[in-house]
Amino acid sequence: MSIAAINARNQFRGRVREIIEGPVVSEVDVETSTGLIVTSVITTRSVKELGLVPGREVIALVKSTEVAIAAL
């Protein structure tokens, strides 16, 4: 599947900064060129299949049907 085939309007190019690997799911931190950190929780199997390691260039694709905001 190509990136163009994925219906996600918000895309952030960056590099994997850190991976916190769990037995089933892992947290992957992606740092953009502006210093923004985008964190994804994906299966550990996907981390391995994608060959994700710190320093690897990736694109974080963000698709959400809901964004909750609380006033301070």
Side-chain angles (χ1 to χ4, degrees), residues 36-56:
L36 174 72
I37 302 293
V38 178
T39 302
S40 177
V41 177
I42 63 174
T43 64
T44 299
R45 180 178 180 174
S46 291
V47 169
K48 294 180 188 315
E49 288 177 356
L50 290 169
L52 299 181
V53 294
R56 172 117 190 227

Side-chain angles (χ1 to χ4, degrees), residues 5 7-8 11 14 17 27 29 42 45 55 57 60 65-67 69:
N7 183 16
Q11 301 180 13
R17 181 175 182 179
E27 292 180 38
D29 288 346
I42 63 174
R45 180 178 180 174
E57 188 174 9
T65 57
E66 178 181 342
V67 176
I69 298 176

Side-chain angles (χ1 to χ4, degrees), residues 17-38:
R17 181 175 182 179
E18 181 180 15
I19 300 172
I20 301 173
E21 193 171 305
V24 178
V25 296
S26 296
E27 292 180 38
V28 180
D29 288 346
V30 176
E31 184 174 10
T32 69
S33 60
T34 61
L36 174 72
I37 302 293
V38 178

Side-chain angles (χ1 to χ4, degrees), residues 6-10 61-65:
I6 298 172
N7 183 16
R9 294 179 187 257
N10 299 307
L61 304 162
V62 180
K63 185 174 181 179
S64 176
T65 57

